[in-house]
Amino acid sequence: FPANSPIPGLTDIVEIISNGYAFAARRVTDAGAKMVTAWGYTSYGGSFPNGSPIPGMTDIVEVVATAQAFAARRSNGVNGASGAVVAWGDNGNGGNVPLDVARRTDIVEVVGNVGAFAAICDNRAGARTVVAWGNGTYGGTFPNGSVIPGLTDIVQVTSNTYAFAARRENGTVVVWGNSSYGGTFPNGSPIPGMTDVVEVIANTGAFAAIRDNRAGARTVVVWGNTAGGGSFPNGSIIPGLTDIVEVIGNDTAFAARRSNGTVVVWGDASTGGSFPNGSVIPGLTDIVDVVGNFYAFAALRSNGSVVAWGNADYGGQIPQSIVPLLTNVRAIYPSFGAFAALTEDGRVVVWGHSSYGGANNTVPSTLQGNISYELKAAISQDDSPRIAAPRKRRHRKPELIPSP
């Protein structure tokens, strides 16, 4: 922390957000003020510009990052309501909000990629639009003549590292950003005409969309970086599958869990886009959850055991010394290059790269038996504890503003 910084003494921090060079901490004071503080590399969001009003704002409800900037969404004094957005950090990568966006008070969600932000605006009269700012190469501006700024039925915006995809209420998807990484659809692609998309998922350079025809068939389509999951292998059965439950992305691969308990994968083999020769995983029919770190995937089976694949150094291979410990597992959580499993009896078991928390002998003894997969504060009406499911998140590379 900077010399004489008050940050180490703060006791009201509720969330910490990072970009590649700085941190921002969202605070909620005892008096209910919702504030933000920052530290790190000054030019990239580690401090606020001289005279900035942001440190004094008391209605910050969300903070999002690009690789070199932060954006904060405000409630404008109305608890839970939409509001304005402010930003700081590198101007060329989202740290400067254009005047037309800064004037808006109806922003309900902000999404960032490596160099740009996109925000959903809801006028509370049925119109949900999207605005963007930051590095134009990565989607900070819309293409000339694009219809996207005029659309009024935006439901979801998803980002990969270089592009954005927006799902509309009519089940279609629109995209913008770097064309090599999903910012445009391939020539002749049928995806722009599809009207049954229910979810869009991203990895670093590609997108996957789950379709639901409302008659029981759930399929998946993809676009973006072909080597990183933006296309299926020749002869793949995946495009014809009709029982896709969920899709998870990591750096350059995807995994899809099916309703029959099996998992299919595609993309870069080195990060889990294929299973190792002789692997038993493709034949398993009891997989109930899949999570991905940047380099590998791990899957929880209904019997409480765990399987993994992908880069062996980053959790894609479970060490033989760890396998016997993975019993009665109830949840798996990824870091950038490792995995942690929580068991029914409160044990924490980790594997993967030691730099990312994967050394099991370094887990503090004070955690063992004291970590739960249940949300104790979220008790349902029948007083039964709810399961804290792992977040399906994408892990961004530590290298910043990589050249596509």
Side-chain angles (χ1 to χ4, degrees):
F1 295 108
N4 302 317
S5 170
I7 297 173
L10 296 177
T11 58
D12 54 7
I13 292 174
V14 295
E15 184 182 17
I16 295 176
I17 303 91
S18 66
N19 62 24
Y21 298 95
F23 293 94
R26 192 166 60 82
R27 304 168 54 194
V28 178
T29 69
D30 291 340
K34 300 175 178 66
M35 308 177 71
V36 65
T37 189
W39 68 98
Y41 199 109
T42 301
S43 299
Y44 300 124
S47 65
F48 300 106
N50 291 333
S52 170
I54 298 174
M57 293 176 178
T58 58
D59 59 354
I60 303 293
V61 294
E62 180 184 26
V63 177
V64 180
T66 63
Q68 297 181 343
F70 294 100
R73 182 170 60 86
R74 305 177 62 188
S75 66
N76 286 45
V78 181
N79 189 31
S82 57
V85 67
V86 293
W88 67 101
D90 185 75
N91 288 345
N93 290 286
N96 181 47
V97 183
L99 188 59
D100 61 327
V101 178
R103 287 173 173 168
R104 303 198 68 119
T105 59
D106 60 352
I107 293 174
V108 295
E109 183 181 2
V110 181
V111 178
N113 65 17
V114 75
F117 291 106
I120 296 178
C121 308
D122 190 333
N123 72 354
R124 307 299 180 187
R128 286 173 60 94
T129 58
V130 63
V131 295
W133 71 96
N135 192 317
T137 302
Y138 306 118
T141 56
F142 298 108
N144 291 334
S146 171
V147 301
I148 298 173
L151 299 177
T152 59
D153 61 348
I154 302 297
V155 177
Q156 172 199 10
V157 174
T158 303
S159 69
N160 65 23
T161 304
Y162 309 106
F164 293 97
R167 182 170 60 88
R168 301 175 61 190
E169 191 174 6
N170 65 4
T172 64
V173 174
V174 292
V175 296
W176 70 100
N178 190 291
S179 60
S180 298
Y181 295 89
T184 59
F185 294 113
N187 290 333
S189 170
I191 299 174
M194 294 174 179
T195 59
D196 57 358
V197 173
V198 294
E199 185 180 4
V200 179
I201 305 96
N203 66 14
T204 294
F207 292 101
I210 296 177
R211 304 175 64 192
D212 190 330
N213 71 354
R214 310 301 181 189
R218 285 173 58 94
T219 58
V220 62
V221 293
V222 295
W223 70 97
N225 185 340
T226 56
S231 65
F232 296 113
N234 291 333
S236 171
I237 65 169
I238 298 172
L241 299 177
T242 59
D243 60 350
I244 302 297
V245 176
E246 66 173 344
V247 175
I248 302 93
N250 64 12
D251 178 22
T252 51
F254 288 103
R257 184 168 62 88
R258 302 174 60 191
S259 61
N260 65 2
T262 64
V263 171
V264 291
V265 297
W266 67 96
D268 184 352
S270 69
T271 59
S274 65
F275 295 112
N277 290 334
S279 171
V280 301
I281 299 173
L284 298 178
T285 59
D286 60 351
I287 290 175
V288 295
D289 190 38
V290 179
V291 297
N293 65 25
F294 200 72
Y295 300 102
F297 293 100
L300 176 62
R301 301 177 63 188
S302 61
N303 65 3
S305 65
V306 175
V307 292
W309 67 97
N311 189 308
D313 292 334
Y314 295 91
Q317 180 175 320
I318 303 172
Q320 287 302 310
S321 60
I322 298 298
V323 172
L325 305 179
L326 293 172
T327 58
N328 297 318
V329 173
R330 291 295 177 265
I332 308 170
Y333 299 87
S335 70
F336 183 84
F339 294 101
L342 302 186
T343 66
E344 189 172 28
D345 58 359
R347 290 178 293 115
V348 181
V349 182
V350 303
W351 72 97
H353 201 287
S354 59
S355 297
Y356 301 107
N360 198 56
N361 62 358
T362 65
V363 177
S365 59
T366 52
L367 294 182
Q368 301 296 356
N370 295 312
I371 302 294
S372 177
Y373 59 93
E374 298 173 350
L375 295 176
K376 297 296 188 181
I379 301 298
S380 59
Q381 291 183 352
D382 62 359
D383 291 331
S384 60
R386 298 172 182 169
I387 301 301
R391 293 179 62 189
K392 307 294 184 181
R393 63 169 299 177
R394 176 171 46 83
H395 297 270
R396 182 172 292 152
K397 285 183 179 179
E399 297 85 10
L400 304 165
I401 310 293
S403 299

